[in-house]
Amino acid sequence: MTQWLLLLLAAFPVLGQETPKLQPENMLPGCPDIVSRLEWGGLPSRCLKPLNLPVEYVVVSHTAGRSCFSPAECEQQMRYIQADHVQFQGLCDIAYNFLIGEDGQIYEGRGWSTMGAHTSTTWNPISLGIGFIGNFMNRDPAPRAIRAVQNLLRCGWMHQVLLPQYIIKGQRDLLRSPSPGDRLYAKLRTWPHYQK
């Protein structure tokens, strides 16, 4: 019951109050583990704009930088990506809602209930942004990374964070960008919810 109350509070914030941050461990029975910001060493977020749940779209990107294959490498990459997005790009936090490492782990970015900065002012308010850590122009992501994102999507659908007929798009479908990389994009286009 508490989980549903948290979802409702996130979806319908009280005017003048900060939207509660849904913690993965509080709302995901039957869903995959998510490495929290605290666990990967993230700095506190300065982002305040809520994501109006449920969302219709999921935008999949790649970070285009270095890949990671172990929890220690991925946690280090998460800190590097956050520093880049905040200190050099001037964002209020890491751009994505979640990131996927090739260690098969899901890493919390802005989480389920905070609007990301992964695509554009048109798409950010109506989508969940998922970034694969690494560059997938010339190689496929590890199978365990693909399984992790599919489990995350199933979880979002089960908990009504995603609409039942949600649509998956690659970042290149919405922007002039090579993201999520040619090889990941080819895989993405075979997924049931993908639409160009």
Side-chain angles (χ1 to χ4, degrees), residues 15 46 57 61 71 78 89-90 116 125 154 169 185 187 193:
L15 209 54
R46 297 189 324 255
Y57 297 96
S61 309
M78 288 293 294
Q89 296 185 37
R154 190 175 305 112
K169 292 191 172 285
Y185 186 61
K187 285 196 172 299
H193 286 266

Side-chain angles (χ1 to χ4, degrees), residues 4 22 28 31 72 78 93 97 104-105 118 121 141 148 166:
W4 294 110
L22 295 178
L28 304 174
C31 290
M78 288 293 294
D93 196 2
N97 297 93
Q105 299 293 318
H118 46 82
T121 55
Y166 70 90

Side-chain angles (χ1 to χ4, degrees), residues 6-180:
L6 284 172
L7 278 173
L8 282 172
L9 288 172
F12 304 102
V14 177
L15 209 54
Q17 289 185 357
E18 187 176 323
T19 303
K21 182 91 169 135
L22 295 178
Q23 296 301 316
E25 59 273 12
N26 290 344
M27 68 165 277
L28 304 174
C31 290
D33 289 338
I34 296 174
V35 180
S36 72
R37 296 171 64 89
L38 183 64
E39 290 172 303
W40 61 259
L43 297 172
S45 179
R46 297 189 324 255
C47 301
L48 299 175
K49 291 184 181 175
L51 187 58
N52 293 321
L53 303 176
V55 294
E56 184 175 2
Y57 297 96
V58 175
V59 179
V60 177
S61 309
H62 71 173
T63 62
R66 196 169 153 201
S67 294
C68 61
F69 300 93
S70 71
E73 287 179 335
C74 291
E75 289 169 14
Q76 182 178 28
Q77 278 301 101
M78 288 293 294
R79 292 188 294 271
Y80 173 79
I81 294 164
Q82 186 184 43
D84 176 58
H85 289 184
V86 173
Q87 294 172 9
F88 298 104
Q89 296 185 37
L91 301 177
C92 58
D93 196 2
I94 201 164
Y96 309 100
N97 297 93
F98 296 97
L99 291 97
I100 310 296
E102 289 193 87
D103 61 348
Q105 299 293 318
I106 302 163
Y107 292 86
E108 182 185 24
R110 296 191 187 194
W112 296 110
S113 61
T114 302
M115 185 171 66
H118 46 82
T119 309
S120 69
T121 55
T122 300
W123 290 95
N124 295 336
I126 59 172
S127 63
L128 195 69
I130 299 176
F132 278 73
I133 301 172
N135 188 324
F136 301 99
M137 287 301 290
N138 301 310
R139 67 179 191 85
D140 293 340
R144 59 188 175 182
I146 298 293
R147 284 193 301 273
V149 77
Q150 290 171 338
N151 289 335
L152 180 68
L153 294 173
R154 190 175 305 112
C155 172
W157 174 81
M158 272 180 19
H159 288 279
Q160 300 176 359
V161 173
L162 301 174
L163 288 173
Q165 296 304 317
Y166 70 90
I167 296 168
I168 297 173
K169 292 191 172 285
Q171 189 182 47
R172 67 172 61 180
D173 295 325
L174 309 172
L175 300 174
R176 290 188 60 171
S177 168
S179 181

